[in-house]
Structures are given as C-alpha cells and as structure tokens.
Amino acid sequence: MDISNQNLDTTKTDAKNLWKEIDNAEYQYNATIFSADSTTESDETTSLLLKRVNIMDLEKRKEVYGLCGECNEPGTGYLWCQPCNAKRFEENFKNWTSGNKNIDELIQQSQLNAFFCTKFLEWIPFEKFENVTYLTRGGFSKIYSAYWPEGNIGHWDIENQKWIRGSRKVALKSLNNSSNISNDFLNEIKYYISGHFPACNTVICFGITQDPNTKDYIMVLQYFEGGNLRNTLVEDGLSGIHDAGNIHKDFHSGNILYNNYNDILSISDLGMCQPVNDNERKGICGVIPYMAPKFYVDINIQKQQIFTHLE
Ligand SMILES: [Zn+2]
C-alpha cells in the first residue's frame, strides 16, 4: 500500500518526529479504553505485567508515547496517532476492496479506530504471500504458514512521509465454508483489534485475505515459532478480554501460543474457532481439553470459572 503524498503537501515535510522511545517497556504499547466507571487517571498499581495508559489521560499519553509531529497531540500508542493515521487510511479506502461489503466495513472501521499498529486489519491480496505451506487442521479451520515479504505496517514515518513495514512469517487460518461470512463471525474478529486489550497478550491479526480457489476467507495471524502451550501467565490477556465484558468461550492449551523470540504468551482463537454459520453457534464447539465436568453444565461460564480451570 502506497498512500504517501509527500510531493503534494509541502507543509508536511516540516513535520518532526516527536515520538518517545519506550525501550524499558514499563507501559503497554497502546492506550487502553478503561471501563466507564474509572477516572481519567492511568493505572499505576495494576497487577498486570505492564502499566496501562488510560486513553482519556492526555498527560500520561504525552509522557509515555510523546507527541504526534503532525497534529501535536499526544500519541495513542507507541509511534502511533489514531486521528492522523485514520485520515491516511481513509484516503486509501478507494484503492482496495475485499469483494464483501461487511468485511470492507470491518477493515475500514478498524483502520479508523486503531490506537496502535497491532489494532487494525488490512485487506491483503492472496498473491502477496509466498511459500504457503499446510500445517494442521482445527475444528472449523485449516492452518497454513506463509511468508509475507511486504509485511505489516509498523508506523508512519513522519519525516519521510511513508508507512514503515516489516516482512514476516504469518499463520493463515482458513475458515471452512466462510465464503458466506456472517455478521456474528465478523463481530468476534473485532475482539482481536479492540482498544480494550493490551498489544502483547492476544495474537495479532494483521488482516484478511481470500483463497482464490475456494473463496474461503482467511485470517492473517501472527506466526509463533514456539508453538502452543498452557501457562497461567496468559491471565494478563484473559483479563483484558473479561474487562471488555467478553468470555473466550473456547479456551484451551491449543489457543495459547508461545513466542520464544520475546518470551511472550498470547491467547489466540478469539472466537475464530466458532462456526461462521449463525445456526451452528449454540452449544459447545471447537477443541475442549482440560475442562472440568462442571464446565459442560453451562456454556455461559463466568470468568472466575475460567481461572479455576487454569489452576
Ligand atoms: Zn497526529
């Protein structure tokens, strides 16, 4: 995607990089939407691994992320200004389409609302991927690995007026019979990019692509060399999900991924393992090891019960 306009607007060439480096990772990489009853103060006494910056706390955002060199407002995340980047994305809406109105709207809304580079989706044409290799099959999906040479957007380079991307290996999750995708399924994808979650503890969803042969839609997800395993440290990610008033619904070891590069555990399958057809959504679905018998009594489990299963 090339949406730079450096030759059209000379005033922007004067913009200076005013972002702050956050090498010691004391705070989360993006600001968070706190629950409605909290104050505008950021969370300094949290039990989470990293302190949370309240999106309403302008002073803290300035202190932690610095100022946007274009609008001079505090960043909404590391190297990220939500209002300025939303404008850039919107100017490019006319240059792509998924062929599905609902998916287009989901991607557009994510780009307009993103507080940070891991919090939006892109439409990624399938031909952008190389070395697509089948890995495994889940309850409602097939997983492939692939190399994405162009890679995901990291941030906007203010001084050179262009997106900075980084090539990477990704996991492609192809959902069975998803050519007719439901609104409910699309709503669950939103959990991946919600402003309620910290950047590091849920698997990053970079975007959506489509199998040119089956027409099935494919999630483009962060690839984990370390595979998946079970560990109570994922409480950090789960609490973000629960703070947003959601439950995971299909939490098991296969959904907990370990990144051995930076030693971070992440929760995956945020509803992705659910059938995409509305009529199939009732009852237990997906892979469900490690669950005590009482779990099966009521699928509408509360978060305390989820933590019980982790002990
Ligand atoms: Zn800005």
Side-chain angles (χ1 to χ4, degrees), residues 26-229:
E26 183 183 1
Y27 290 91
Q28 290 180 356
Y29 284 91
N30 58 277
T32 306
I33 300 172
F34 280 29
S35 57
D37 57 350
S38 64
T39 67
T40 57
E41 297 288 308
S42 291
D43 191 349
E44 299 286 345
T45 57
T46 176
S47 62
L48 301 176
L49 297 176
L50 298 174
K51 295 174 184 173
R52 295 192 300 173
V53 177
N54 190 332
I55 191 68
M56 305 299 289
D57 189 342
L58 297 179
E59 282 305 310
K60 184 58 72 176
R61 279 169 49 194
K62 180 180 175 184
E63 176 193 327
V64 174
Y65 306 122
L67 292 173
C68 168
E70 292 184 347
C71 70
N72 235 37
E73 294 292 322
T76 56
Y78 178 55
L79 304 178
W80 200 267
C81 176
Q82 180 262 326
C84 286
N85 286 335
K87 270 184 231 158
R88 271 185 272 279
F89 284 128
E90 191 169 14
E91 286 166 8
N92 197 49
F93 284 173
K94 61 182 181 296
N95 295 325
W96 59 267
T97 179
S98 68
N100 177 296
K101 182 170 166 287
N102 292 331
I103 289 181
D104 282 358
E105 284 177 3
L106 173 69
I107 294 172
Q108 289 175 2
Q109 284 304 311
S110 77
Q111 294 185 348
L112 294 176
N113 296 323
F115 293 165
F116 184 53
C117 67
T118 61
K119 298 294 182 183
F120 69 91
L121 306 167
E122 281 188 84
W123 175 252
I124 309 165
F126 194 78
E127 58 266 25
K128 295 275 188 180
F129 299 105
E130 296 177 357
N131 301 327
V132 178
T133 306
Y134 174 78
L135 292 180
T136 186
R137 175 186 294 273
F140 304 98
S141 63
K142 289 190 276 295
I143 310 285
Y144 301 82
S145 67
Y147 183 63
W148 184 16
E150 185 178 51
N152 61 297
I153 287 173
H155 67 275
W156 177 256
D157 180 342
I158 286 179
E159 293 178 1
N160 295 300
Q161 292 288 296
K162 63 177 185 181
W163 291 116
I164 300 297
R165 291 174 173 271
S167 57
R168 60 164 59 239
K169 195 172 180 179
V170 290
L172 301 180
K173 184 166 185 172
S174 171
L175 298 146
N176 302 343
N177 304 317
S178 60
S179 51
N180 293 315
I181 208 156
S182 75
N183 284 334
D184 223 13
F185 166 71
L186 294 172
N187 285 337
E188 299 218 26
I189 295 176
K190 290 176 187 171
Y191 296 164
Y192 273 96
I193 50 174
S194 163
H196 293 279
F197 303 145
C200 298
N201 295 100
T202 49
V203 167
I204 300 168
C205 182
F206 298 110
I208 302 173
T209 186
Q210 186 177 35
D211 186 318
N213 297 317
T214 65
K215 304 299 181 192
D216 282 342
Y217 286 104
I218 299 173
M219 305 300 303
V220 181
L221 300 167
Q222 190 176 12
Y223 182 85
F224 283 81
E225 294 286 353
N228 58 54
L229 52 78

